[in-house]
Amino acid sequence: MILSFRNISAVCGVFLLVSINSFHNSAIANINNQSQLIAQQSKTPPHPVFKSILPKLKQKTQIRILLPRFIPESDGKNPIYANIDYATPKNYEISLAFTPDCYGASACRLGAVTAEAVTRKTPHLNGKRVSLAKGITGYFVDFTCGAGCSDATLTWRQQGVQYVVGLKGGDRTSLIKMANSAINP
């Protein structure tokens, strides 16, 4: 009887070790594939202006990519171009412009879409509170004008990432529609 108990204990011990090792390997695979799965979660594609830059953006960032389906001024009369200003594993910034080589210049700039992982150093959200899709609270900051006009922005946080949509001289209604089209693809 003692001999069979030892055999059962040994078999159970081996089973336990194999199970723990398999769990560890699957957890690592899950973490490694998380950024690709997040990037592929979108049900519908973003606005066509992002099509050419999306593969590069997916390669460079690990945070969830939210891009709007609605962009004001994109009714076909004037072409709109999206350029990646920068992209790292924890953030990205995309500029929207009326020319392919605008590089942020005021005359051809339409706006921007940005995202960054929230950390302790991320400033608190400010602006006028607005209700967004899925019960999310956004914060609207109006544009200012001097020699030129700045972007009006709408900022919100979702799943540990802070997202911002901005439009040069933009209005609150357009920014809410733009943000909601990113939140509810």
Side-chain angles (χ1 to χ4, degrees):
M1 192 68 160
I2 293 175
L3 186 60
S4 64
F5 178 72
R6 285 184 184 166
N7 288 341
I8 292 171
S9 296
V11 169
C12 289
V14 169
F15 179 75
L16 182 62
L17 288 173
V18 169
S19 298
I20 289 171
N21 190 36
S22 295
F23 175 76
H24 176 72
N25 289 339
S26 69
I28 289 172
N30 190 28
I31 289 169
N32 289 339
N33 293 327
Q34 183 179 10
S35 63
Q36 284 123 359
L37 291 174
I38 287 173
Q40 296 170 1
Q41 285 177 351
S42 179
K43 295 175 187 170
T44 58
H47 191 281
V49 74
F50 299 109
K51 185 177 181 178
S52 66
I53 65 166
L54 193 54
K56 186 175 181 180
L57 190 61
K58 285 180 179 180
Q59 286 178 347
K60 293 196 172 252
T61 193
Q62 295 174 357
I63 59 175
R64 184 172 183 201
I65 299 169
L66 289 184
L67 300 173
R69 285 181 296 136
F70 169 77
I71 300 175
E73 307 292 328
S74 64
D75 55 9
K77 293 178 185 173
N78 297 310
I80 295 177
Y81 301 89
N83 291 302
I84 299 174
D85 293 336
Y86 61 83
T88 71
K90 299 294 181 189
N91 60 26
Y92 62 83
E93 181 173 319
I94 300 166
S95 59
L96 300 171
F98 294 109
T99 63
D101 55 355
C102 183
Y103 305 109
S106 182
C108 54
R109 179 180 169 78
L110 173 62
V113 177
T114 67
E116 72 175 289
V118 176
T119 67
R120 284 188 235 166
K121 295 179 181 180
T122 306
H124 292 286
L125 298 174
N126 60 26
K128 295 178 186 173
R129 290 176 153 228
V130 296
S131 295
L132 299 174
K134 296 185 179 180
I136 296 171
T137 299
Y139 296 85
F140 172 76
V141 176
D142 210 351
F143 67 92
T144 58
C145 290
C149 292
S150 67
D151 285 2
T153 60
L154 184 59
T155 306
W156 74 96
R157 291 183 180 172
Q158 190 174 353
Q159 298 177 345
V161 179
Q162 180 168 296
Y163 297 95
V164 181
V165 290
L167 293 171
K168 179 180 167 187
D171 64 277
R172 188 170 87 162
T173 303
S174 294
L175 284 167
I176 290 172
K177 187 173 180 182
M178 194 173 171
N180 283 339
S181 76
I183 295 167
N184 272 334

